[in-house]
Amino acid sequence: MKAADIKKIRKKMEKTLDAKRFEHTLGVAYTAASLAMRYDEDINRALTAGLLHDCAKCISNEKKIAICEKHNIPINEVERENPFLLHAKVGSYMAMKQFNIHDQDIINAILNHTTGRPGMSPLEKIVYIADYIEPGRKQAPNLQLIRKMAFENIDQALVKILGDTLQYLESTGTPIDAMTQKTYDFYILTNKQCANTEENL
Ligand code: DGI
Ligand code: FE
Ligand code: FE
């Protein structure tokens, strides 16, 4: 991924997203780049995934559903009820088809940025976390703590975000996608196993 390609993607995002979403997109891209610096990941891939992660966000629910149906992208029950969730699947499809992204890790980072998934790559974790902590985000609880944590222990930050998200969804009676719950369960377990191993060293 070259600097010129990244600039083109940024220009395209500025045109297709509304001003607020574009501002958020820049925040995610640069926060992802900072986390990539911290965790020795490729900065340009983090920028690219960050810029594209919400590329389908400003498409109407009807159109997102139509795109999924046309291209045989499966829609689960929770996604049917909350079609905004589909912006991750549709976004990863558009990244491949419209932006010619062939890097599977970048595609996965876009695909899994809303729910996460068990066994995320470092880049997927970076985009998932950057989406939550970018400077423009103001509403989530524990933001100050999680922002610091993200640069200290990435897996601990991941579990905290997943836990807070699940709590928020439960408190508002919002249906939970099975993948969000699965991801939380997976990282609670792996973090515990890591802690136990450290204790026994
Ligand atoms: O697109 P963004 O707003 O930047 O961020 P996002 O794609 O991470 O979406 C955030 C929203 O997604 C947030 O309000 C919580 C919600 N969300 C995360 N997991 C689930 C979920 N919503 C439902 N209904 N079910 C989930 O499992
Ligand atoms: Fe999103
Ligand atoms: Fe986002």
Side-chain angles (χ1 to χ4, degrees):
M1 199 54 63
K2 289 182 303 194
D5 297 324
I6 293 172
K7 211 169 172 184
K8 262 189 216 158
I9 294 174
R10 181 189 158 130
K11 282 241 142 68
K12 188 84 193 282
M13 286 302 106
E14 190 171 12
K15 269 191 209 149
T16 52
L17 299 176
D18 62 48
K20 215 172 129 203
R21 185 57 47 179
F22 180 62
E23 202 59 34
H24 161 72
T25 292
L26 291 182
V28 174
Y30 289 122
T31 304
S34 307
L35 287 166
M37 292 174 201
R38 161 67 179 87
Y39 293 108
D40 286 324
E41 289 297 313
D42 187 278
I43 294 173
N44 283 350
R45 289 164 81 224
L47 280 174
T48 305
L51 283 174
L52 285 171
H53 85 285
D54 274 341
C55 70
K57 192 78 180 186
C58 293
I59 297 175
S60 71
N61 285 342
E62 293 71 31
K63 187 138 188 231
K64 283 198 289 287
I65 291 171
I67 292 172
C68 288
E69 283 171 351
K70 184 165 175 200
H71 301 289
N72 296 318
I73 299 168
I75 303 175
N76 68 34
E77 257 174 57
V78 176
E79 288 166 340
R80 272 254 176 240
E81 265 181 77
N82 302 268
F84 89 89
L85 285 167
L86 291 172
H87 77 279
K89 283 182 179 176
V90 173
S92 70
Y93 179 82
M94 283 170 53
M96 279 189 277
K97 300 291 170 184
Q98 288 183 13
F99 294 90
N100 287 316
I101 305 292
H102 304 297
D103 181 324
Q104 192 58 46
D105 202 17
I106 295 178
I107 297 299
N108 284 344
I110 301 167
L111 179 64
N112 300 307
H113 85 265
T114 305
T115 60
R117 72 164 170 110
M120 282 191 268
S121 73
L123 182 68
E124 288 174 83
K125 290 178 190 173
I126 283 173
V127 173
Y128 181 87
I129 293 171
D131 194 18
Y132 198 86
I133 67 168
E134 66 96 359
R137 284 259 194 240
K138 294 196 171 65
Q139 281 173 337
N142 305 314
L143 253 187
Q144 199 182 352
L145 172 84
I146 294 171
R147 283 182 169 137
K148 204 165 142 67
M149 204 188 266
F151 289 88
E152 289 167 356
N153 184 332
I154 197 166
D155 285 327
Q156 202 185 0
L158 190 64
V159 166
K160 185 82 185 120
I161 295 171
L162 284 159
D164 283 359
T165 299
L166 283 172
Q167 215 172 45
Y168 166 76
L169 294 171
E170 275 161 21
S171 74
T172 52
T174 313
I176 291 165
D177 190 296
M179 193 58 89
T180 309
Q181 187 66 52
K182 263 194 206 166
T183 308
Y184 176 73
D185 296 345
F186 177 90
Y187 282 103
I188 280 282
L189 206 68
T190 47
N191 280 10
K192 259 195 204 130
Q193 280 163 351
C194 284
N196 285 343
T197 317
E198 273 165 27
E199 261 171 38
N200 294 333
L201 282 178

